[in-house]
Amino acid sequence: MVDQYLDLYAEARDLLCRHSAPLMNAAREEAFARLAALRGQRTAKREEAYRYTDVAAAFAPDYGLNLSRIDIPANPYEAFRCDVPNLSTSVYFVINDAFNTRNLPTAPLPDGVVVDSLRRVAEEHPEWIEGKYDRICRRERRYRRDMEGVESVESIKSIESIKSIDIIDYRYAKTPIVALNTLLAQDGIYIRIPAGVRLERPIQVVNILRSDVEMMVNRRVLVDVGEGAEATILVCDHTADDRRFLVTEVAEVVVGQGAELQLYSLEENASQVHRFTDLSVRQAAASRLVHSVMTLGTGLSCNRVHVSMDGEGAHCTLNGAVIADGTQHVDHGTVITHNAPACESDELYKYVLDDDAVGAFAGRIVVPHGMQQTTSNMVNANLVGSAQARIYTQPILEIYADDVQCSHGSTVGQLNDAALIYMRQRGIPEDEARLLLKQAFATQVIESIQLPALRDRLHHLVEKRFRGELTHCEGCRLCRK
């Protein structure tokens, strides 16, 4: 899958770099070398992270790229009216992969808070992102100092042999998505919350896919939440045009000591969108992260989340709900690494699949040696509504410490026949009874959202989604197309 993109970079390197920032350009050569090492290899099916998603097929078409940064005429503030009722947010737009600078929110942000183009920040304040851009997304690998031939934690078989591991190196993930995005990304969004700042108003980022031709979009995100700060970020994905889109997005997030970040993601893309996202988070001591993702519409959505809890007493919550039908394909993979003692993590992902939809979930909790008093719980529950729908689930605990409380579980089932009979005996039509049971199944994830207005709105959208109705918000012309 990488050959055509390596050739593209070789031909258009000067053009691509000219319309980006020096700091972003500096990372391209290493990304190129990483991809060049994969030239000619069929990586998609061999990579564990993408066992159930055909990456090569998704990247095979010849998509257009806006390397010259041609301005796409659009005023999203006129077309987009998806403000959640009773939820006051500061709304920012990213058109494809370019931060929209027109008609920015009039409500002032607290002093020091920055929401801006990643490219512009990289040019004007490189010190803000140096050491974070293209660094947080690298996966941790631990090496033994005293034994050759042992490359990683996965290859070590006993608690005794792992005690001498004390060398940590950060390298690109085995999969090429992060490297490909680093090679081609020219802009994105940067969010900075200074130490001690508590945002009263959530930040809402609306990603809009807009093009007159089939388009590949490479979007970059960097979020830096300072020590003791508190912030809520809502990200919404929408498609404005009836075209095929291929999206790669790499998001890097730092949550400082004692800081709290609530990060919500709502995907309502069209069926012609193939989206690959990679979110990497590093948490400091006593920090709290809540990440919830809702997939209500897509063609192919493949999402990876990597959380590294690097400070004692950190807490991480990952929640996800997927509603898929037709031929939709949704693949979630998560890795939570407890790199400090006394950390807690909770994880819940639920899928509701109908027709010929395919779902996949791979969750991994890693507790290295010495990370005692770890608490972790992971659950993946799946509801399959047709004989053709498929779900693949793989929850894994990888534990090298003994003073821990860790559990994981996975269930796959159909609608409860007894409950259906009970509801029909009370006059509820079968179709309505099935809809109500599906809604109830997804409720646990929705109820975990801590913003009441967003929670209520999602209940409404999920009901409309199960009824097969359009999920546009009132007054949103983009969603009506």
Side-chain angles (χ1 to χ4, degrees), residues 347-349 361 376-382 393-397 406-412:
E347 190 169 356
L348 172 64
Y349 276 76
F361 172 81
S376 180
N377 181 55
M378 174 172 53
V379 175
N380 172 225
N382 306 282
T393 178
Q394 189 181 35
I396 298 174
L397 295 179
C406 298
S407 65
H408 71 302
S410 178
T411 62
V412 179

Side-chain angles (χ1 to χ4, degrees), residues 176-457:
I177 301 297
V178 172
L180 179 62
N181 180 278
T182 303
L183 185 72
L184 299 177
Q186 295 172 284
D187 196 9
I189 188 168
Y190 173 78
I191 300 175
R192 181 172 185 257
I193 315 297
V197 173
R198 182 178 184 273
L199 281 185
E200 299 290 341
R201 181 195 300 263
I203 293 172
Q204 184 176 8
V205 179
V206 182
N207 295 319
I208 297 178
L209 296 176
R210 176 108 170 64
S211 178
D212 295 329
V213 298
E214 295 180 350
M215 179 69 68
M216 180 182 186
V217 173
N218 299 288
R219 185 188 305 129
R220 202 73 179 214
V221 179
L222 181 57
V223 178
D224 190 354
V225 182
E227 181 177 340
E230 296 181 19
T232 299
I233 300 174
L234 169 62
V235 181
C236 304
D237 278 34
H238 293 270
T239 311
D241 292 303
D242 187 20
R243 297 289 186 272
R244 287 200 305 174
F245 290 92
L246 174 63
V247 180
T248 73
E249 177 182 289
V250 173
E252 298 174 284
V253 177
V254 177
V255 186
Q257 183 173 343
E260 180 174 339
L261 174 63
Q262 297 180 40
L263 180 59
Y264 301 112
S265 176
L266 174 61
E267 184 182 6
E268 295 181 276
N269 278 320
S271 60
Q272 291 182 293
V273 175
H274 289 179
R275 189 184 78 151
F276 292 81
T277 71
D278 191 287
L279 168 65
S280 297
V281 184
R282 295 203 177 276
Q283 290 187 247
S287 64
R288 299 183 64 86
L289 169 71
V290 176
H291 177 244
S292 295
V293 56
M294 294 284 301
T295 300
L296 301 182
T298 188
L300 183 151
S301 183
C302 192
N303 309 286
R304 296 292 172 262
V305 178
H306 303 261
V307 179
S308 181
M309 307 171 79
D310 296 334
E312 185 172 352
H315 189 281
C316 166
T317 299
L318 301 182
N319 292 321
V322 174
I323 301 172
D325 53 21
T327 59
Q328 295 174 340
H329 183 113
V330 183
D331 184 347
H332 283 287
T334 67
V335 178
I336 301 176
T337 305
H338 291 250
N339 282 326
C343 292
E344 298 182 20
S345 64
D346 292 291
E347 190 169 356
L348 172 64
Y349 276 76
K350 287 194 168 187
Y351 288 64
V352 181
L353 305 176
D354 278 304
D355 303 328
D356 296 304
V358 175
F361 172 81
R364 182 188 294 266
I365 304 294
V366 182
V367 184
H369 172 77
M371 304 310 163
Q372 309 295 1
Q373 298 181 337
T374 292
T375 302
S376 180
N377 181 55
M378 174 172 53
V379 175
N380 172 225
N382 306 282
L383 185 61
V384 180
S386 72
Q388 296 76 35
R390 293 289 182 270
I391 180 70
Y392 303 94
T393 178
Q394 189 181 35
I396 298 174
L397 295 179
E398 188 175 321
I399 302 173
Y400 301 98
D402 50 13
D403 183 11
V404 301
Q405 295 182 12
C406 298
S407 65
H408 71 302
S410 178
T411 62
V412 179
Q414 297 178 322
L415 291 175
N416 189 303
D417 289 336
L420 281 172
I421 294 173
Y422 178 86
M423 297 172 74
R424 293 188 67 186
Q425 287 176 338
R426 279 147 184 80
I428 300 176
E430 182 176 354
D431 288 347
E432 186 71 13
R434 290 180 177 276
L435 184 147
L436 291 174
L437 289 175
K438 291 176 183 178
Q439 278 187 259
F441 185 79
T443 292
Q444 185 179 359
V445 174
I446 300 174
E447 285 297 315
S448 69
I449 293 173
Q450 300 177 28
L451 292 175
L454 177 60
R455 186 169 60 240
D456 293 343
R457 186 62 183 173

